[in-house]
């Protein structure tokens, strides 16, 4: 099957605005991931759009068994109800393999046997400097990024962005040496497959965006609108994560969590909103969502909940 039909063989017609929340099930949602879920939900619903959930479960070593369900229950407890069925990337291998085959056939993907040591010596920037090796031995597949892949876009929250991909990111990995599909490949294939028109996510991924747009262009897939939110950080200034023991959002106080997330996003919900009703809070949020309210910052401390 030609690549574009693999990526685009979508299960349904896409409305004008389709957004998504795409957690990796490495653990339960914490305040930072709740903020991303909420902002992507509000941006979609404020524009009469569809909001999808996609589980990015293609990295089993980093995943926590059961986290997929925990995340879905957390979203439900906060009335962040997704449209349609969640998509699981673990069930999308065929589409990723088809894309890799197509890229390899057109000379845009190549095998790389480089060791970590070799990569460290090149500063991690890979520009087809590796010695061709035995294809029977474990190897990665890398994208042969064209020299002239210059990507410029206007981020909804962070403004004008630009990057020379080859010179900044190098020939990035599409298939890892351990046989797992790389995030950059899967995200591009699935954003196209699901007809995603708008991507609202954390600024930790701002730097990845040019790579994703470059890959979209090589695969003749559409490029969504991007908006990168500030990142919620702990007292040490580190992004909240499972590794630094960010507490999971507590399903017993969804109203308080949503209010805190709205305040963090620069919104000012009136004091008389029923904090016990997540639906009422979200309804107010959809009516009052303005992209310009968002603080013009890359990181903001998370509140204690
Ligand atoms: N799965 C990624 C994460 O949880 C997000 C990917 C994306 O939004 O593009 O950090």
């Amino acid at each position: 099957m030609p690549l574009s039909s693999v990526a685009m063989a979508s299960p349904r017609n896409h409305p004008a605005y389709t957004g998504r929340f795409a957690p990796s099930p490495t653990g339960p949602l914490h305040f930072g991931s709740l903020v991303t879920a909420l902002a992507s939900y509000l941006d979609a619903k404020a524009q009469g759009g569809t909001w999808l959930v996609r589980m990015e479960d293609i990295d089993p070593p980093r995943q926590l068994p059961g986290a997929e369900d925990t995340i879905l229950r957390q979203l439900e407890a906060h009335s962040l109800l997704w449209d349609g069925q969640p998509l699981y990337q673990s069930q999308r291998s065929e589409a990723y393999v088809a894309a890799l085959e197509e890229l390899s056939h057109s000379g845009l993907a190549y095998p790389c046997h480089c060791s970590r040591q070799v990569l460290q010596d090149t500063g991690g920037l890979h520009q087809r400097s590796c010695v061709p090796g035995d294809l029977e031995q474990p190897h990665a597949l890398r994208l042969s990024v064209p020299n002239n892949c210059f990507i410029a876009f206007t981020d909804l929250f962070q403004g004008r962005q630009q990057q020379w991909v080859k010179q900044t990111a190098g020939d990035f990995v599409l298939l890892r040496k351990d046989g797992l599909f790389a995030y950059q490949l899967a995200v591009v294939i699935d954003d196209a497959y699901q007809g995603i028109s708008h991507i609202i996510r954390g600024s930790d991924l701002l730097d990845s965006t040019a790579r994703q747009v470059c890959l979209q262009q090589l695969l003749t897939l559409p490029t969504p609108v991007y908006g990168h939110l500030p990142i919620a950080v702990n007292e040490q200034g580190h992004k909240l994560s499972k590794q630094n023991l960010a507490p999971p959002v507590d399903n017993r106080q969804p109203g308080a969590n949503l209010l805190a997330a709205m305040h963090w996003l620069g919104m000012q919900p009136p004091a008389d909103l029923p904090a016990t009703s997540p639906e009422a809070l979200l309804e107010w949020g959809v009516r009052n969502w303005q992209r310009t309210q968002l603080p013009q910052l890359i990181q903001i401390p998370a509140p204690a909940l």
Side-chain angles (χ1 to χ4, degrees):
M1 200 188 305
L3 176 66
S4 44
S5 36
V6 171
M8 300 304 291
S10 166
R12 55 187 188 80
N13 290 331
H14 300 305
Y17 184 123
T18 303
R20 48 68 156 188
F21 174 55
S24 303
T26 53
L29 297 183
H30 49 67
F31 181 77
S33 31
L34 179 69
V35 162
T36 305
L38 174 65
S40 60
Y41 174 92
L42 294 179
D43 201 69
K45 296 299 168 183
Q47 300 200 46
T50 296
W51 186 67
L52 307 178
V53 168
R54 178 170 78 228
M55 283 295 161
E56 302 212 319
D57 54 347
I58 46 168
D59 194 355
R62 286 188 55 231
Q63 286 162 211
L64 192 70
E68 294 87 344
D69 280 346
T70 304
I71 291 171
L72 294 179
R73 298 298 83 79
Q74 287 176 299
L75 292 173
E76 280 172 346
H78 290 77
S79 294
L80 292 165
L81 304 180
W82 53 92
D83 295 298
Q85 295 297 318
L87 182 73
Y88 289 80
Q89 289 194 320
S90 55
Q91 293 169 17
R92 295 272 302 141
S93 301
E94 239 178 83
Y96 309 146
V97 167
L100 288 173
E101 282 175 357
E102 185 69 21
L103 288 166
S104 301
H105 287 150
S106 43
L108 285 168
Y110 65 89
C112 163
H113 294 81
C114 289
S115 63
R116 271 169 209 266
Q117 186 56 53
V118 169
L119 287 171
Q120 244 171 31
D121 296 346
T122 62
L125 201 66
H126 195 284
Q127 297 182 343
R128 211 165 192 159
S129 39
C130 48
V131 183
D134 178 358
L135 288 180
E136 296 302 312
Q137 295 301 316
H139 58 272
L141 283 180
R142 287 178 182 274
L143 184 71
S144 180
V145 177
N147 282 330
N148 62 356
C149 197
F150 173 75
I151 303 297
F153 63 98
T154 303
D155 188 90
L156 288 177
F157 309 123
Q158 307 299 336
R160 195 81 187 141
Q161 306 291 318
Q162 57 183 52
Q163 190 181 102
W164 287 95
V165 178
K166 182 91 163 184
Q167 295 74 359
T168 311
D171 286 352
F172 53 94
V173 172
L174 301 172
L175 179 73
R176 291 163 31 172
K177 212 178 199 171
D178 57 10
L180 296 176
F181 299 107
Y183 158 67
Q184 308 291 359
L185 173 76
V187 75
V188 164
I189 297 298
D190 287 339
D191 282 334
Y193 174 68
Q194 294 188 287
I196 303 299
S197 63
H198 290 70
I199 295 180
I200 308 295
R201 60 186 180 189
S203 287
D204 49 327
L205 293 166
L206 184 56
D207 183 60
S208 285
T209 306
R211 269 171 277 173
Q212 294 170 19
V213 176
C214 181
L215 189 51
Q216 286 155 4
Q217 292 181 353
L218 294 173
L219 296 174
T220 54
L221 297 173
T223 290
V225 173
Y226 288 92
H228 287 85
L229 302 162
I231 300 167
V233 293
N234 64 16
E235 281 169 6
Q236 289 74 43
H238 299 135
K239 180 185 174 229
L240 302 187
S241 70
K242 193 179 75 171
Q243 288 71 29
N244 58 36
L245 308 177
V249 292
D250 184 347
N251 284 349
R252 291 167 306 181
Q253 46 166 46
N257 297 334
L258 287 173
L259 275 175
M262 285 180 183
H263 282 135
W264 191 92
L265 285 164
M267 303 179 82
Q268 288 164 353
D272 61 353
L273 271 182
T276 47
S277 166
E279 292 90 352
L281 293 171
L282 290 177
E283 207 178 290
W284 179 89
V286 169
R287 271 188 281 114
N288 291 278
W289 173 251
Q290 282 177 29
R291 289 173 178 160
T292 48
Q293 273 172 349
L294 203 76
Q296 296 294 304
L297 293 168
I298 280 283
Q299 57 179 51
I300 307 177
L305 279 168

